[in-house]
């Protein structure tokens, strides 16, 4: 299977009904009405092509194909911008002589077939069909068979062509006619068009090419699917982490992690999550799904999701995910409309998944509060012993194996400015969270071990944890790693690695 189906279109002017001059004028009239083109009623194709500003005009292939007379169509494919010149099974060095021959054939009321054969950019690249010589070899091979399918002599016919190296769809225009005096019907049945297209495609894409493209296609498609799935997983994981972090620390100032979100928006997320907790009330029991929520509660979940979308990293990953969905559609040969429909469906599906992820975290939080009788005050100023309550609550959650609670506890114990500062406990909880793959815990541990003023300073461990976090795309871990490797006074000095990690961090917008 090629990357894209080969395109073949064959047209015929009825020589009894269409005069060259009328066709020419109809074509010129069309060009003259195109937006941004100002013409002064040129009388023929030559005059049109010589007009100032026409050198770069991308003429409409379909109109040229259907409206212009044989003689002027020939002149068009030979003279239009980006044409690579005429070639064929006759001498094409004298353009005027070839044009005269076509005109003579047309004047004898004989049918001249006019066709286009087009490839996708990838197929042309893989087959090395990028020059006149490549297409000339191909046409020499297929023209006898094509002539036969059109009902003309496979041994006594004439064809001429020109190659246009369009980047996205390199193609050839050709004209083909029988050399006998036989008059044929200008009608081409759709079944004949199909047979010609299948024949041309079969001759273009042999079995070996099919196998090669099939392998490449499958590999690229699998890679694209992997990118798509990883993007979806990353978005959901980050969304879950943010909500976990917001809901597990009632009454405590929200910690702004290296997650591309400003403090004001972080506080808004926390406030809106706590509003949702209160809205759930006794409705927190049993299974809860976004699709079946009351409208008021659904609107609240949507508000939280909208705040998540404001994050630079989530927005960027969402765009990458939607793009991968669209490109997957392209690989399956879907239309532009089908691609947009698939992208829209993917965006809606992702929104539903994020909203359900929000509900899952809040529901889990709600259940834990009831299980351990930990009250949630609607006003943080009314909370007594806020930090004790927070630590009690986080400890309960951490005992259930919640990596975000473990991470948050570790962060609290690692804060030297707090009365609860305890580096041993900090490392214990952060290590438990890091073992579950939490990139933020890995980053935090890396920072602790990288701090030369800490009693726990250990550059080797710092690199180990920072690399694990960097592998998950944490730009701040990449920056800290780059800084370690860039320090000439360190035994781990490695400028090549420093540049690599700092560059990766810079690409994420870290200054």
């Amino acid at each position: 299977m090629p990357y894209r189906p080969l395109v073949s279109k064959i047209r015929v002017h009825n020589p009894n009904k269409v005069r060259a001059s009328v066709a020419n004028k109809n074509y010129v009239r069309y060009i003259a009405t195109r937006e941004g083109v100002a013409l002064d009623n040129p009388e023929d194709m030559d005059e049109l092509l010589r007009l100032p500003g026409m050198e770069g005009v991308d003429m409409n292939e379909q109109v040229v194909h259907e409206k212009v007379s044989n003689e002027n169509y020939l002149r068009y494919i030979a003279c239009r911008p980006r044409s690579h010149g005429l070639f064929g099974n006759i001498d094409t060095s004298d353009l005027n002589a070839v044009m005269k021959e076509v005109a003579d054939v047309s004047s004898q009321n004989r049918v001249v077939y006019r066709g286009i054969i087009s490839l996708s950019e990838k197929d042309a690249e893989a087959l090395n069909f990028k020059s006149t010589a490549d297409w000339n070899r191909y046409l020499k091979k297929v023209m006898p068979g094509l002539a036969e399918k059109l009902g003309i002599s496979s041994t006594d016919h004439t064809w001429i062509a020109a190659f246009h190296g369009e980047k996205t769809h390199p193609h050839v225009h050709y004209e083909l006619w029988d050399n006998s005096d036989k008059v044929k019907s200008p009608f081409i049945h759709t079944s004949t068009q199909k047979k010609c297209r299948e024949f041309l495609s079969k001759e273009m894409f042999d079995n070996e090419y099919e196998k090669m493209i099939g392998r490449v296609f499958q590999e690229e498609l699998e890679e694209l699917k992997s990118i798509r799935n990883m993007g979806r997983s990353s978005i959901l994981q980050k969304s879950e982490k943010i909500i976990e972090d917001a809901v597990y620390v009632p009454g405590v100032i929200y910690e702004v992690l290296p997650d591309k979100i400003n403090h004001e928006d972080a506080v808004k997320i926390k406030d809106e999550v706590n509003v949702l907790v209160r809205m759930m009330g006794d409705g927190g029991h049993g299974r809860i799904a976004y699709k079946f929520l009351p409208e008021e509660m659904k609107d609240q979940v949507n508000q939280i999701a909208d705040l998540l979308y404001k994050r630079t990293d989530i927005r960027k990953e969402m765009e990458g995910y939607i793009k991968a969905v669209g490109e997957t559609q392209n690989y399956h040969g879907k239309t532009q409309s089908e691609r947009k429909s698939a992208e829209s469906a993917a965006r809606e599906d992702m929104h539903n998944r994020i909203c359900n992820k929000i509900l899952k975290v809040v529901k889990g939080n709600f259940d834990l509060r009831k299980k351990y009788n930990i009250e949630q005050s609607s006003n943080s100023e009314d909370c007594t012993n806020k930090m004790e309550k927070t630590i009690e609550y986080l400890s309960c959650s951490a005992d259930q194996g919640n990596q975000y609670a473990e991470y948050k506890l570790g962060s609290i114990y690692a804060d030297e400015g707090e009365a609860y500062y305890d580096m041993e406990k900090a490392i214990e909880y952060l290590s438990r969270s890091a073992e579950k793959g939490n990139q933020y815990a890995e980053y935090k541990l890396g920072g602790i071990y990288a701090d030369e003023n800490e009693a726990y300073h250990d550059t080797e461990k710092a690199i180990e944890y920072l690399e694990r976090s960097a592998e998950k795309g944490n730009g701040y871990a990449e920056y800290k790693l780059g800084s370690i490797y860039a320090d000439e006074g360190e035994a781990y000095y490695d400028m090549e690695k420093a540049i690599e990690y700092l560059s990766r961090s810079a690409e994420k917008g870290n200054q």
Side-chain angles (χ1 to χ4, degrees):
M1 55 183 292
Y3 285 98
R4 297 285 185 276
L6 175 144
V7 175
S8 168
K9 297 178 182 178
I10 306 173
R11 302 289 185 268
V12 174
H13 288 314
N14 188 327
N16 293 321
K17 294 183 178 180
V18 180
R19 294 175 301 166
S21 60
V22 174
N24 239 356
K25 288 180 181 177
N26 285 344
Y27 175 68
V28 172
R29 188 177 298 113
Y30 170 79
I31 292 295
T33 59
R34 288 186 66 188
E35 183 179 356
V37 179
L39 305 178
D40 297 319
N41 299 320
E43 290 297 321
D44 58 31
M45 184 66 71
D46 280 341
E47 188 176 345
L48 176 66
L49 290 172
R50 287 196 298 268
L51 285 173
M54 289 301 293
E55 297 83 0
V57 172
D58 186 8
M59 299 186 180
N60 186 295
E61 303 284 356
Q62 188 68 15
V63 173
V64 171
H65 200 61
E66 294 180 351
K67 300 297 185 183
V68 184
S69 65
N70 289 331
E71 179 180 355
N72 284 285
Y73 180 76
L74 175 62
R75 188 181 297 279
Y76 166 74
I77 65 175
C79 298
R80 77 178 280 262
R82 291 176 288 176
S83 169
H84 287 249
L86 283 177
F87 56 93
N89 67 343
I90 60 172
D91 182 5
T92 57
S93 58
D94 187 339
L95 176 61
N96 290 325
V98 177
M99 290 178 59
K100 183 178 184 306
E101 181 171 350
V102 174
D104 289 344
V105 169
S106 299
S107 67
Q108 295 167 17
N109 291 336
R110 286 152 59 193
V111 171
V112 175
Y113 294 93
R114 298 133 52 89
I116 296 174
I117 305 173
S118 176
L119 290 175
S120 72
E121 180 183 359
K122 282 192 173 183
D123 281 320
E125 187 73 30
L127 289 164
N128 200 31
F129 267 52
K130 298 180 291 184
S131 70
T132 296
D134 301 324
W135 284 94
N136 192 6
R137 284 191 294 271
Y138 172 71
L139 292 182
K140 282 181 179 179
K141 180 175 72 170
V142 301
M143 277 303 180
L146 185 63
E148 185 176 0
K149 294 188 183 305
L150 291 170
I152 64 179
S153 174
S154 62
T155 58
D156 190 18
H157 61 265
T158 299
W159 63 270
I160 48 91
F163 166 56
H164 298 155
E166 304 282 352
K167 180 174 176 58
T168 56
H169 65 293
H171 59 277
V172 286
H173 292 270
Y174 65 86
E175 288 195 333
L176 169 68
W177 63 91
D178 197 304
N179 289 333
S180 70
D181 294 332
K182 178 173 60 176
V183 176
K184 283 182 86 290
S185 167
F187 175 72
I188 306 177
H189 197 276
T190 53
S191 63
T192 301
Q193 292 273 15
K194 182 181 179 182
K195 287 177 182 176
C196 290
R197 181 168 54 252
E198 289 174 348
F199 167 72
L200 292 170
S201 182
K202 182 179 179 182
E203 293 298 315
M204 178 69 76
F205 308 112
D206 59 21
N207 289 335
E208 285 305 312
Y209 181 77
E210 290 274 354
K211 292 177 183 176
M212 183 272 287
I213 288 297
R215 288 194 298 270
V216 174
F217 178 91
Q218 197 58 39
E219 288 172 3
E220 291 184 347
L221 187 58
E222 289 302 319
E223 182 179 358
L224 199 55
K225 286 180 179 178
S226 176
I227 292 171
R228 181 194 64 190
N229 294 341
M230 285 176 62
R232 182 168 61 194
S233 297
S234 178
I235 293 167
L236 292 174
Q237 183 185 44
K238 287 182 178 179
S239 299
E240 182 178 18
K241 191 269 163 204
I242 296 166
I243 303 305
E244 289 273 10
D245 205 37
V247 74
Y248 278 125
V249 198
V252 177
I253 295 177
Y254 196 95
E255 179 184 3
V256 182
L257 300 169
D259 57 9
K260 298 293 186 182
I261 188 169
N262 62 47
H263 181 77
E264 183 180 350
D265 288 334
V267 171
K268 284 181 182 177
I269 289 176
K270 178 181 173 173
D271 291 342
E272 296 300 336
V273 165
N274 286 327
V275 169
L276 179 61
V277 170
R278 293 195 296 273
M279 289 177 73
M280 290 179 70
D282 291 333
H285 301 287
R287 184 176 180 273
I288 187 167
Y290 172 72
K291 182 179 179 180
F292 303 110
L293 289 178
E295 286 303 313
E296 184 182 5
M297 193 177 293
K298 185 177 282 189
D299 289 342
Q300 183 62 28
V301 177
N302 288 338
Q303 282 189 51
I304 298 169
D306 288 341
L307 287 169
L308 293 179
Y309 299 149
K310 291 181 71 174
R311 287 170 52 104
T312 303
D313 57 345
I314 286 184
R315 185 169 63 249
K316 186 176 179 180
E317 287 195 32
M318 180 73 86
E319 290 169 357
Y321 168 70
I322 298 301
K323 181 181 178 183
V325 169
E327 288 181 353
T328 302
Q329 293 294 303
N330 285 347
Y331 267 78
H332 288 297
K334 302 296 184 181
T335 64
Q336 188 68 13
S337 175
E338 288 173 322
R339 170 176 175 156
K340 287 182 179 179
S341 177
E343 289 175 342
S344 177
R347 200 178 294 277
E348 182 179 354
D349 174 70
M350 181 58 78
H351 177 75
N352 291 340
R353 287 172 184 267
I354 287 175
C355 289
N356 278 316
K357 187 68 72 174
I358 292 169
L359 287 169
K360 176 186 174 184
V361 174
V362 173
K363 171 69 165 55
N365 173 268
F366 183 92
D367 291 345
L368 275 170
R369 287 181 186 282
K370 292 190 73 67
K371 180 177 181 180
Y372 292 99
N373 296 316
I374 300 174
E375 297 181 358
Q376 165 73 42
S377 171
S378 60
N379 185 343
S380 61
E381 293 300 321
D382 294 336
C383 290
T384 57
N385 300 319
K386 290 183 294 183
M387 187 58 75
E388 287 88 345
K389 285 283 186 182
T390 296
I391 291 175
E392 178 188 357
Y393 176 55
L394 288 172
S395 297
C396 291
S397 184
D399 288 343
Q400 302 293 315
N402 188 294
Q403 59 172 291
Y404 301 113
E406 292 168 342
Y407 164 73
K408 195 63 190 179
L409 269 176
S411 298
I412 290 173
Y413 286 127
D415 190 346
E416 293 183 18
E418 287 289 337
Y420 300 91
Y421 171 71
D422 187 327
M423 188 54 71
E424 277 194 28
K425 285 186 176 181
I427 291 175
E428 177 194 346
Y429 281 109
L430 289 172
S431 296
R432 282 163 54 177
S433 182
E435 289 309 308
K436 295 181 175 70
N438 188 312
Q439 62 166 297
Y440 303 101
E442 292 166 344
Y443 169 75
K444 193 90 172 181
L445 274 173
I448 290 172
Y449 287 125
D451 188 350
E452 295 180 0
N453 297 319
E454 267 291 346
Y456 297 89
H457 173 64
D458 187 327
T459 305
E460 189 172 340
K461 282 188 176 180
I463 291 174
E464 176 191 346
Y465 282 108
L466 290 172
E467 283 186 341
R468 282 164 54 177
S469 183
E471 285 174 3
K472 297 179 177 71
N474 190 313
Y476 288 83
E478 291 167 344
Y479 170 76
K480 193 173 283 290
L481 269 173
S483 301
I484 291 173
Y485 286 125
D487 189 348
E488 295 183 12
E490 275 284 349
Y492 297 91
Y493 171 71
D494 187 328
M495 188 52 68
E496 189 173 331
K497 284 188 176 181
I499 293 173
E500 176 192 348
Y501 282 110
L502 291 173
S503 297
R504 281 163 54 179
S505 179
E507 286 173 2
K508 294 181 175 64
N510 295 329
Q511 298 180 352

